[in-house]
Amino acid sequence: MRRALLILMSTLVVCACGHSASGDPTLDITDAERDARIALDFPRDSAWIVEYLKPYYPELTQEQVAAWEESKALEGRVIDGQKRYFRNAGRNLFRIDPEARKVYEAVHGVTRDVEDIYLDDYNRDVIATVRRTGENLVKPVNFTIKYEMTVKPDVVPAGELVRVWMPYPREDQNSISEVKLISTSQPDYIIAPDDVEHKSLYMEKPAVAGEPTVFSYVFSFTGFNEWYDFRPEDCLPYDTESELYKTFTAERKTHIVFTDPIKALADSLTAGIDNPYLKVRAIYGWIVDHFPWASAREYSTLENIPMYVLENKHGDCGQVGLLLVTLCRCAGVPARWQSGWMLHPGAVNMHDWSEVYYEGIGWVPTDVSFGRGRGAVRDNDDEYWFYTKGLDAYRLICNSDYSGQFFPAKKFIRSETVDFQRGEAEWAGGNLYFNQWSGWIEEIDYR
């Protein structure tokens, strides 16, 4: 009965909100709210940037700083009449600018990401296992995870109900099985069904004066490596009249939009290529070669993410993933968003990737971000292009699309209007933004 009452309450709240420009009041963001979020993302002033860069550039000049800004390697903007810089602008400079990267590496040495080192041998074994067994799902890994969300003290008035949505593994995915909820901090909860885009575990509790409001849960699941051993000629012609093809080759505002630059780029990258897998590989390879990873601004502050990547010459996993989806769709190849967490030992983090549909094969996971850094296996075609044909097992999938629905429904504007990986929180007075709470994995056990 309690769970039924929660669902009814949420439905009534949403109906009371009326309709918004996007059709979903939780996705619309006012100019004032966007400006406030941008200000939080750009806390650094010019003095901070100079102090950060001086150890690497003792003779740093304003002309050099201006040149980095002009090239988009150093992300800054004017806010309230003052020059402000993105919170990770300093470190990002050494990721984006090739010459600056050499300066950084001269000080700190050349390093490779932990997951790349781990996955070189691992992916090789996955390929061999798929070929030996003839199965697409191999080498399962068992995970037990504790997740916690903490709303800061006195952010919500005492006695008011705090509502939270926390990421939870989808059960409609090939690579995930045996999902089990082990314990929750609250006796009442709601697990969203798989027919909503953002899979969550919902809980609520009243705030207490002077104390943080803490929610936690423990769950387990089994993840499989999912890899497809096919040749380009195994892809059959698309049924262009099918609903699947029409839906996943269409534009979808605000981010999957076939702007003139996107159309021209898709045409140039796939010119003379008819095979859909080879089209994807051409797009994938170009993105890998041209857009270094860099820490990203909050997605809710960006009007069109793929265009942001093209204009700024860098992107994080979700940004280049949306660029890949948009270019694929524009080139007539069905593609969609997928996201959750990467759970590689020593490299646990939020992560986004994509799926591409091939007639005769089905939906194939595709991670363009993990294509970056694969230089160590460049001499092996299958290993180098591993992430055009599948994913390793170290993934939790909670999102089957972006800017989707929550269950129970959220009343107020979302903190993350595109993705869902950290969680969402609100109370009767409005949304709780990321600076008002924290949420992440407290414990993880591999078996």
Side-chain angles (χ1 to χ4, degrees), residues 37-45 48-49 52 74-77 79 84-93 95 293-299 301 316 319 350 416 422 433-434:
R37 295 182 178 192
I38 289 173
L40 288 173
D41 250 358
F42 284 75
R44 311 298 190 188
D45 60 16
W48 187 95
I49 287 293
Y52 181 90
L74 189 64
E75 191 164 11
R77 62 193 301 140
I79 298 177
R84 312 296 291 182
Y85 292 90
F86 176 56
R87 52 187 162 79
N88 289 329
R91 181 65 183 93
N92 275 354
L93 169 66
R95 294 167 172 144
W293 184 91
S295 177
R297 288 168 49 184
E298 290 297 340
Y299 288 4
T301 68
D316 76 347
Q319 292 172 332
M350 298 178 289
E416 171 56 271
R422 286 168 280 186
Y433 195 56
F434 294 131

Side-chain angles (χ1 to χ4, degrees), residues 33 36-38 40-41 155 298-301 414-416 422 424-425 430-438:
E33 176 66 25
R37 295 182 178 192
I38 289 173
L40 288 173
D41 250 358
V155 165
E298 290 297 340
Y299 288 4
S300 63
T301 68
R414 287 160 49 172
S415 294
E416 171 56 271
R422 286 168 280 186
E424 290 284 339
N431 179 64
L432 297 174
Y433 195 56
F434 294 131
N435 60 325
Q436 297 172 303
W437 59 269
S438 61

Side-chain angles (χ1 to χ4, degrees), residues 334-352:
R336 65 187 181 189
W337 167 280
Q338 194 174 73
S339 71
W341 306 335
M342 49 182 272
L343 300 171
H344 308 89
V348 175
N349 209 335
M350 298 178 289
H351 193 54
D352 309 307

Side-chain angles (χ1 to χ4, degrees), residues 307-325:
M307 287 304 300
Y308 174 86
V309 176
L310 295 182
E311 292 165 0
N312 289 272
K313 304 179 180 66
H314 63 81
D316 76 347
C317 54
Q319 292 172 332
V320 295
L322 267 175
L323 176 60
L324 177 111
V325 169

Side-chain angles (χ1 to χ4, degrees), residues 206-268:
V208 176
E211 297 181 10
T213 309
V214 182
F215 302 86
S216 66
Y217 59 108
V218 178
F219 65 96
S220 63
F221 74 98
T222 299
F224 288 82
N225 296 275
E226 182 177 7
W227 195 76
Y228 294 84
D229 186 21
F230 63 90
R231 302 165 300 171
E233 56 266 30
D234 294 330
C235 302
L236 303 177
Y238 288 117
D239 176 4
T240 57
E241 296 302 313
S242 70
E243 283 303 310
L244 183 151
Y245 185 86
K246 290 178 180 178
T247 298
F248 294 105
T249 56
E251 295 178 274
R252 187 185 159 204
K253 294 185 177 180
T254 59
H255 299 291
I256 301 178
V257 181
F258 302 157
T259 61
D260 288 341
I262 288 289
K263 290 177 183 177
L265 182 56
D267 288 345
S268 67

Side-chain angles (χ1 to χ4, degrees), residues 66-102:
W68 283 325
E69 289 186 46
E70 179 66 24
S71 70
K72 307 293 187 179
L74 189 64
E75 191 164 11
R77 62 193 301 140
V78 176
I79 298 177
D80 294 332
Q82 293 186 329
K83 190 54 164 293
R84 312 296 291 182
Y85 292 90
F86 176 56
R87 52 187 162 79
N88 289 329
R91 181 65 183 93
N92 275 354
L93 169 66
F94 297 115
R95 294 167 172 144
I96 299 167
D97 185 272
E99 294 305 315
R101 187 183 308 123
K102 293 177 183 177

